[in-house]
Amino acid sequence: MENLDKENMKMIIGGGVSITGSLISAVTDLIKTIYGIGQALGGAIRRIQSNNLCKF
């Protein structure tokens, strides 16, 4: 096997990051989850500030 120097390494193309459908789906699910948590937290803060809480 031959050792490669820096100049030969710069000429190698490929093997980079590819965006696949599963990666896009995972990022979309993460964004939806963060958005849902934000909605729930925002609603809880609004109900606490307006003193509109459920009584047990």
Side-chain angles (χ1 to χ4, degrees), residues 8-51:
N8 288 336
M9 295 284 281
K10 289 179 183 177
M11 296 183 72
I12 296 175
I13 299 174
V17 177
S18 61
I19 298 177
T20 61
S22 60
L23 178 65
I24 293 172
S25 177
V27 170
T28 303
D29 289 342
L30 178 65
I31 291 171
K32 286 180 182 179
T33 302
I34 292 171
Y35 182 75
I37 291 171
Q39 277 187 322
L41 188 61
I45 291 170
R46 182 180 47 81
R47 282 186 278 119
I48 289 170
Q49 286 181 343
S50 67
N51 203 14

